Amino acid sequence: MGSRSSHAAVIPDVDSIRRETGFSQASLIRLHHRFRALDRNKKGYLSRIDLQQIGALAVNPLGDRIIESFFPNGSQQVDFPGFVRVLAHFRPVEDEDTDLDPKKPEPLNSRRNKLHYAFQLYDLDRDGKISRHEMLQVLRLMVGVQVTEEQLENIADRTVQEADEDGDGAVSFLEFTKSLEKMDVEQKMSIRILK
Amino acid sequence: MALQIFLTFSPWNCLLLLVALEYSIASSDVNEPANSTAQHATNAWFAASSSEPDERISVFELDYDYVQIPYEVTLWILLASLAKIGFHLYHRLPGLMPESCLLILVGAVVGGIIFGTDHKSPPVMDSSIYFLYLLPPIVLEGGYFMPTRPFFENIGSILWWAVLGALINALGIGLSLYLICQVQAFGLSDVNLLQNLLFGSLISAVDPVAVLAVFEEARVNEQLYMMIFGEALLNDGITVVLYNMLIAFTKMHKFEDIEPVDILAGCARFIIVGVGGVMFGIAFGFISAFITRFTQNISAIEPLIVFMFSYLSYLAAETLYLSGILAITACAVTMKKYVEENVSQTSYTTIKYFMKMLSSVSETLIFIFMGVSTVGKNHEWNWAFICFTLAFCQIWRAISVFALFYVSNQFRTFPFSIKDQCIIFYSGVRGAGSFSLAFLLPLSLFPRKKMFVTATLVVIYFTVFIQGITIGPLVRYLDVKKTNKKESINEELHIRLMDHLKAGIEDVCGHWSHYQVRDKFKKFDHRYLRKILIRENLPKSSIVSLYKKLEMKQAIEMVETGILSSTAFSIPHQAQRIQEIKRLCPEDVESIRDILTCNMYQVRQRTLSYNKYNLKPQKSEKQAKEILIRRQNTLRESMRKGHSLPWGKPAGTKNIRYLSFPYGNPQSAGRDTRAAGFSDDDGSNPGSSSVMFSARSRIRSLQKQQAQEIIPMKSLHRGGKALSFGYQRSTSQEEYMGGSRRVALRPKPLFHAVDEEGESGGESEGEAFAVRSRWTTDRGHGRDYHRSHSPLLQRK
């Protein structure tokens, strides 16, 4: 990595990104490398087309939604800090993160933020609730074509029913969090190489 | 079930028939002591002529000796194939035991018959025949079907484990057995050190690929797969190199004359043999890849080139006493990448299947021969030697696994758990390799060869049957760590979602291990190798050819069945259902859970599962096809929205099924389509949507601003529907109309197919096109866009 260490200087605002995301210098350099590899026309930012060219995402049932999550608030481009911010959600949770200063904002890879990221994959209209319809759409994405529509609707019904506590027919973020309290989200949504 | 049993009966019947046939032939063969008398006798039997045998033309003659060897070899192969068919008919059997079990059993049966009829078995297993004809196909197949990327990602660990493991095993077993032989009580003192070392080297040749089929059920993780695969691949080569070296040592003067210089020379030779073989293989691989660049017009010889060059690499390396096995492996690995892109689709399939067939035949012959020689007189049973051999095999394998992995775990990003190591240890199943090497020991140098052969056979039988059968349950047992409590449906769904999400983000991050080396190699590959070795104008990967295939057949089918036959629009029905919240009973919950577990898409795995004995279509391919079809349908759907054509009904329930994309709230969508339809009619000439379309795009391109400005247009029509909806649409369209060469997944033909029925009606289209047009003109892809754009205009 000798010759590559100079890249740290190439990344703009590397310190603020580090503080915000908690990535190590080495990881940031690698991510920057990846960012530049994806940005084929050297524009300095990524657009949807660039992300869509990752072949494996095309056969991922959630590929489009994942790509979409990189472009919050309807923007069409994502720059390096934005790119890294999304990936920071998947940083493994280490012990030293737990005894942070309570005044600081929660790190991006906290359990709550990870869950929030997953929640946003469901909740496309950003109204803070997963409606039955949104649940149905996600189910459609993830299930093979042999399952009939009625079965899917049943499943969507049941899913919302299980999680919905205040009876409004939709799953709010709190309810979502509660339904997953037994699950080891930190481990499921962590990628080891992102340290 | 009854039908299955019946079906198993008929091949077994044929089997028995064949066996009986062979028996009768064998016995008839026995009854004919010599050639000429046989002929006379048969002539006398069948000729309706006078008693002077030599002067009449016989009407029927029987000459078995002429065809004996090919006839019996063919019968063996057929027998084994029938047995395999029977084996696979009972579908649970392949998961229980490796196929080698079956082959050995068949061989033992044949051996029993041959022995029983006192027949002389055909000389299948000669040293030259084995090394020249039977071994190369097996190794070639192993090298060709190896998944290269995981292999190279783990190459450090694999080399460390395979090379050192083989060495440790060979030397350890050899030395321990030598110590045992020193004990006078066992009567083995005439077996010297060299012989023991040689035996150790040949008995440490494992064939773990045979058990990979058993692993499949338990979903062993990829890294483990790769380690086992890599070990199998390199193991043969290393063992043979060791074997040959030690034979050379043995042939030298007496044991006492061997000096340290010789040992050093031996080590140096080991390295040279290995590395030299690999170099040869790579060179031949490149040559053959280069030649396939020019075979466009005679695609029938493409498989021939592939096979001949691989075989040539093997032979050339063997000429120079380099390792032919490593050469052919390296040749296959190098060649595969480029050849796959150059050859035609049919040649590609031919190569794959022919390779499988050849290796299958070779292995079958070896196993049957092994079975044949089990039942025979060439055995020498020595309790001590055999038992200690068995014991030491297991002990040394355990030592080498745990020691080597302990060290390599320090350097790996994904260390192997103890459970993984146990699996690797237990998968040390010996196979045909050890048997062949034992059988080919020169009797002159090894007076106690029979004992070695017996010991080898015992080890093979033990490992194949006992370890092979129990490894499945063991893996499943080790795997079941999760508690068996049922998860709620919510959790199941979310877990799967998170798995997919994690896989997707991992893909976004790309692969990081050995990043620089791989990166450099890729650059080099791109800049030089691919230009030289690959034909021009080719799709980049097999996903594209897969996509093209489904593009042409299934996509059109889906269009015709899915969209045109849409049922009544049941959106209002759905709207009502939101109000009722049904309470579901527990059985429903169970059935729902079952539906989910069976039907949810699997998370993509980096290494496709490998089956040694057949090429099954991958489940993940079907899944990928479905997902790609859906995305395509999204595009069609979104292009059809807002149609004013009579057959363009608004999306029925069936269509919704196939949409991969949230195309918005159905109620508002319904409103939108109607609104959009109206706006179309109002705003422009009905039917000449292209005019409207191009007008809009011109308007858009004039205002060189970002997409945010189309918000006002949208909100006009949608009454403030969320913006994300339109953007999502536009992204799906962009990806399809991207048209740039880099978008390997979306070749041009797709657009034309969509053209057929995708009218460009609908204001959302217009926006999307406009968005795209602006982007592409900005990005300089204008060429592509206009090219893809024009057919649309022209059609009107």
Side-chain angles (χ1 to χ4, degrees):
Chain A
M1 286 276 268
S3 62
R4 304 266 176 204
S5 56
S6 56
H7 279 193
V10 173
I11 307 173
D13 307 321
V14 61
D15 287 320
S16 66
I17 298 178
R18 279 189 68 186
R19 254 177 287 122
E20 191 185 348
T21 59
F23 279 125
S24 65
Q25 183 95 325
S27 295
L28 274 181
I29 292 175
R30 284 203 199 112
L31 283 172
H32 190 71
H33 203 85
R34 175 68 173 168
F35 182 81
R36 289 209 329 266
L38 287 174
D39 177 16
R40 288 172 205 261
N41 300 326
K42 305 282 177 280
K43 310 179 291 287
Y45 54 84
L46 291 180
S47 59
R48 284 189 178 84
I49 294 186
D50 294 318
L51 287 175
Q52 280 156 7
Q53 285 166 11
I54 301 173
L57 276 183
V59 289
N60 190 317
L62 298 172
D64 292 319
R65 292 199 183 207
I66 295 177
I67 294 177
E68 199 52 43
S69 71
F70 278 91
F71 300 90
N73 313 320
S75 57
Q76 296 300 322
Q77 309 165 354
V78 57
D79 56 0
F80 182 65
F83 180 70
V84 175
R85 216 169 280 133
V86 171
L87 295 179
H89 289 292
F90 287 86
R91 199 161 69 83
V93 176
E94 286 139 40
D95 295 325
E96 72 247 17
D97 289 346
T98 52
D99 47 9
L100 270 185
D101 185 5
K103 282 191 288 250
K104 274 204 219 148
E106 214 174 332
L108 280 172
N109 65 339
S110 69
R111 184 190 168 96
R112 189 176 173 281
N113 278 326
K114 287 186 200 277
L115 281 172
H116 193 255
Y117 182 76
F119 186 78
Q120 282 179 335
L121 280 186
Y122 286 94
D123 180 23
L124 290 168
D125 53 6
R126 301 281 187 270
D127 60 355
K129 288 182 185 304
I130 306 176
S131 67
R132 182 188 159 278
H133 179 71
E134 286 166 341
M135 190 70 85
L136 186 59
Q137 281 172 349
V138 172
L139 265 172
R140 268 197 215 119
L141 275 184
M142 297 203 352
V143 174
V145 295
Q146 310 92 305
V147 184
T148 65
E149 186 66 15
E150 295 87 75
Q151 284 172 322
L152 275 183
E153 284 172 10
N154 275 340
I155 298 175
D157 277 336
R158 176 67 190 180
T159 318
V160 172
Q161 212 181 78
E162 263 183 13
D164 187 18
E165 289 171 0
D166 53 8
D168 57 355
V171 182
S172 69
F173 181 58
L174 281 166
E175 291 161 352
F176 182 73
T177 316
K178 191 133 182 276
S179 70
L180 290 176
E181 62 190 356
K182 277 182 258 140
M183 194 161 100
D184 187 4
V185 171
E186 288 91 331
Q187 196 262 326
K188 279 266 165 204
M189 282 185 58
S190 295
I191 298 178
R192 279 149 96 173
I193 48 179
L194 292 175
K195 283 197 274 287
Chain B
M1 194 58 192
L3 190 63
Q4 270 177 327
I5 298 176
F6 177 67
L7 284 173
T8 49
F9 269 144
S10 32
W12 286 115
N13 278 339
C14 302
L15 214 87
L16 286 172
L17 214 69
L18 268 176
V19 167
L21 189 65
E22 199 175 314
Y23 178 82
S24 61
I25 289 172
S27 53
S28 64
D29 193 25
V30 165
N31 292 335
E32 297 158 5
N35 228 350
S36 50
T37 51
Q39 296 233 272
H40 288 282
T42 45
N43 284 345
W45 274 68
F46 293 112
S49 61
S50 63
S51 51
E52 288 89 38
D54 282 340
E55 292 161 16
R56 294 281 169 255
I57 295 182
S58 53
V59 181
F60 297 105
E61 282 180 24
L62 180 72
D63 181 5
Y64 183 63
D65 285 322
Y66 178 57
V67 295
Q68 181 194 0
I69 293 176
Y71 190 78
E72 295 202 345
V73 170
T74 313
L75 269 183
W76 283 7
I77 297 176
L78 260 185
L79 199 68
S81 313
L82 286 175
K84 279 193 199 182
I85 293 176
F87 182 72
H88 281 283
L89 273 180
Y90 181 41
H91 62 269
R92 275 188 46 205
L93 211 52
L96 289 176
M97 60 163 89
E99 243 181 70
S100 15
C101 288
L102 179 80
L103 289 175
I104 297 180
L105 280 175
V106 169
V109 165
V110 171
I113 295 176
I114 292 184
F115 182 70
T117 59
D118 219 6
H119 184 61
K120 183 182 166 314
S121 66
V124 161
M125 196 71 115
D126 191 5
S127 171
S128 57
I129 293 184
Y130 173 71
F131 277 110
L132 287 181
Y133 301 116
L134 291 181
L135 185 60
I138 298 179
V139 184
L140 178 62
E141 187 243 353
Y144 195 80
F145 287 100
M146 184 185 69
T148 39
R149 177 158 57 187
F151 181 76
F152 285 111
E153 276 180 4
N154 289 310
I155 187 124
S157 310
I158 292 179
L159 274 179
W160 171 258
W161 157 236
V163 175
L164 279 184
L167 283 175
I168 290 181
N169 270 315
L171 294 174
I173 296 177
L175 285 172
S176 342
L177 279 176
Y178 178 63
L179 291 174
I180 295 294
C181 289
Q182 299 305 94
V183 176
Q184 298 292 353
F186 297 137
L188 294 167
S189 32
D190 57 338
V191 184
N192 61 15
L193 177 64
L194 261 181
Q195 293 180 351
N196 274 310
L197 281 178
L198 193 64
F199 182 68
S201 76
L202 70 89
I203 201 80
S204 66
V206 289
D207 183 23
V209 178
V211 299
L212 276 181
V214 175
F215 281 173
E216 267 190 31
E217 307 285 313
R219 283 200 307 136
V220 167
N221 75 57
E222 294 175 356
Q223 310 281 333
L224 198 58
Y225 227 88
M226 247 4 273
M227 293 305 289
I228 294 179
F229 217 107
E231 183 194 3
L233 204 62
L234 298 177
N235 201 280
D236 275 341
I238 294 169
T239 319
V240 169
V241 167
L242 258 183
Y243 178 86
N244 283 327
M245 247 176 50
L246 287 169
I247 290 254
F249 268 136
T250 322
K251 279 194 192 137
M252 270 174 56
H253 333 288
K254 300 217 199 313
F255 171 54
E256 294 81 36
D257 284 355
I258 296 181
E259 300 167 14
V261 177
D262 290 324
I263 299 191
L264 274 180
C267 295
R269 174 120 181 242
F270 182 77
I271 297 178
I272 288 185
V273 163
V275 172
V278 170
M279 291 291 135
F280 255 80
I282 294 181
F284 273 92
F286 280 136
I287 297 178
S288 74
F290 183 65
I291 293 189
T292 54
R293 187 180 170 187
F294 302 108
T295 57
Q296 268 135 322
N297 302 317
I298 14 165
S299 52
I301 68 168
E302 280 163 352
L304 195 68
I305 290 184
V306 167
F307 285 112
M308 289 301 118
F309 268 103
S310 320
Y311 194 45
L312 207 61
S313 72
Y314 180 80
L315 294 174
E318 286 288 324
T319 318
L320 298 176
Y321 284 104
L322 301 175
S323 166
I325 295 181
L326 289 177
I328 203 174
T329 309
C331 182
V333 168
T334 319
M335 190 169 64
K336 177 178 181 186
K337 207 156 68 116
Y338 305 106
V339 159
E340 271 190 356
E341 300 200 20
N342 276 338
V343 300
S344 66
Q345 184 71 24
T346 44
S347 298
Y348 173 63
T349 317
T350 310
I351 293 175
K352 278 201 305 193
Y353 275 96
F354 200 63
M355 219 175 263
K356 283 275 178 199
M357 190 191 83
L358 277 180
S359 88
S360 211
V361 165
S362 283
E363 199 169 3
T364 304
L365 280 176
I366 295 178
F367 273 122
I368 289 195
F369 198 79
M370 194 166 87
V372 164
S373 57
T374 316
V375 184
K377 299 203 194 88
N378 47 353
H379 285 303
E380 183 191 331
W381 187 271
N382 182 310
W383 275 104
F385 191 74
I386 292 174
C387 295
F388 277 105
T389 306
L390 261 182
F392 285 133
C393 282
Q394 305 298 333
I395 295 175
W396 278 100
R397 185 163 174 91
I399 293 178
S400 59
V401 164
F402 291 112
L404 289 175
F405 276 94
Y406 177 74
V407 172
S408 78
N409 271 347
Q410 317 293 338
F411 300 102
R412 286 180 59 88
T413 33
F414 302 107
F416 283 109
S417 64
I418 297 291
K419 178 190 102 179
D420 291 338
Q421 291 173 28
C422 283
I423 294 180
I424 293 185
F425 155 66
Y426 206 66
S427 71
V429 168
R430 269 69 180 171
S434 331
F435 171 70
S436 323
L437 289 176
F439 195 77
L440 300 172
L441 285 172
L443 197 58
S444 53
L445 298 169
F446 291 86
R448 298 200 74 164
K449 171 181 167 178
K450 289 186 183 172
M451 185 178 69
F452 289 141
V453 172
T454 312
T456 312
L457 278 175
V458 169
V459 171
I460 293 180
Y461 272 74
F462 180 84
T463 53
V464 169
F465 282 94
I466 298 190
Q467 276 181 237
I469 294 181
T470 56
I471 197 169
L474 178 75
V475 170
R476 275 185 279 275
Y477 169 71
L478 286 178
D479 211 20
V480 177
K481 285 242 194 79
K482 50 182 181 252
T483 56
N484 274 331
K485 72 171 168 63
K486 291 286 194 175
E487 301 155 336
S488 70
I489 296 179
N490 251 303
E491 281 178 353
E492 264 196 52
L493 182 64
H494 298 319
I495 287 175
R496 190 58 67 94
L497 179 119
M498 288 188 190
D499 285 336
H500 280 296
L501 179 58
K502 183 169 167 178
I505 298 279
E506 274 176 353
D507 291 324
V508 172
C509 291
H511 301 278
W512 279 8
S513 43
H514 308 277
Y515 195 81
Q516 288 174 349
V517 175
R518 234 173 50 101
D519 206 30
K520 285 203 186 94
F521 176 71
K522 275 201 147 169
K523 277 202 195 125
F524 172 69
D525 184 36
H526 247 286
R527 214 179 293 162
Y528 302 112
L529 292 180
R530 290 179 78 93
K531 292 224 172 67
I532 304 176
L533 298 176
I534 297 193
R535 294 184 204 166
E536 287 124 20
N537 307 325
L538 279 188
K540 286 233 162 108
S541 68
S542 57
I543 263 204
V544 178
S545 35
L546 164 72
Y547 192 75
K548 275 188 170 172
K549 270 195 292 188
L550 75 85
E551 163 74 28
M552 285 176 238
K553 278 190 342 190
Q554 289 176 326
I556 298 184
E557 275 174 32
M558 303 230 53
V559 166
E560 281 154 7
T561 59
I563 294 187
L564 293 188
S565 67
S566 56
T567 55
F569 192 53
S570 67
I571 298 293
H573 171 61
Q574 281 179 1
Q576 283 160 20
R577 286 192 56 139
I578 290 179
Q579 271 69 40
E580 338 162 357
I581 301 180
K582 276 168 41 184
R583 289 269 145 207
L584 300 175
C585 45
E587 296 89 56
D588 284 353
V589 174
E590 274 308 308
S591 63
I592 285 179
R593 198 173 282 128
D594 290 333
I595 293 174
L596 270 186
T597 31
C598 297
N599 284 306
M600 280 208 281
Y601 285 136
Q602 304 287 333
V603 181
R604 63 115 184 90
Q605 297 194 315
R606 297 248 180 94
T607 40
L608 304 178
S609 62
Y610 172 75
N611 189 320
K612 188 171 193 189
Y613 296 104
N614 50 29
L615 291 165
K616 287 188 285 209
Q618 303 285 347
K619 189 172 175 194
S620 57
E621 265 189 22
K622 290 192 201 130
Q623 177 178 311
K625 274 188 199 173
E626 272 185 18
I627 297 179
L628 288 174
I629 289 177
R630 282 180 161 185
R631 295 173 72 132
Q632 189 167 344
N633 272 289
T634 309
L635 174 60
R636 287 171 207 243
E637 233 355 87
S638 50
M639 288 191 81
R640 277 192 47 243
K641 278 194 58 71
H643 257 159
S644 41
L645 293 183
W647 58 268
K649 283 183 235 162
T653 45
K654 209 136 181 257
N655 300 335
I656 298 178
R657 277 302 287 115
Y658 295 118
L659 294 181
S660 70
F661 228 46
Y663 76 110
N665 227 332
Q667 296 115 327
S668 53
R671 244 189 299 125
D672 287 345
T673 50
R674 275 171 254 130
F678 290 144
S679 74
D680 278 346
D681 292 333
D682 291 341
S684 59
N685 305 324
S688 63
S689 35
S690 64
V691 175
M692 159 203 76
F693 164 77
S694 55
R696 283 187 200 226
S697 65
R698 248 180 279 126
I699 294 173
R700 295 286 177 274
S701 51
L702 284 180
Q703 315 160 349
K704 289 218 191 304
Q705 286 168 29
Q706 287 306 318
Q708 275 86 3
E709 73 183 37
I710 60 180
I711 298 176
M713 290 294 292
K714 273 200 171 166
S715 53
L716 261 178
H717 294 290
R718 299 228 174 117
K721 180 74 183 76
L723 192 62
S724 53
F725 165 42
Y727 286 124
Q728 284 155 357
R729 280 259 213 92
S730 55
T731 53
S732 71
Q733 283 159 353
E734 273 153 32
E735 77 189 73
Y736 284 95
M737 291 171 266
S740 68
R741 265 170 290 113
R742 293 312 208 130
V743 185
L745 293 173
R746 312 279 182 252
K748 295 280 186 338
L750 168 58
F751 189 77
H752 296 303
V754 170
D755 254 5
E756 303 306 320
E757 43 101 354
E759 299 282 342
S760 64
E763 46 90 32
S764 51
E765 240 95 52
E767 286 162 358
F769 273 114
V771 167
R772 247 209 86 259
S773 75
R774 208 171 336 105
W775 281 23
T776 50
T777 43
D778 285 348
R779 306 263 154 75
H781 289 174
R783 218 181 347 111
D784 290 337
Y785 169 70
H786 290 310
R787 207 180 333 129
S788 55
H789 181 53
S790 50
L792 205 54
L793 288 177
Q794 283 156 10
R795 246 173 7 94
K796 309 296 190 291

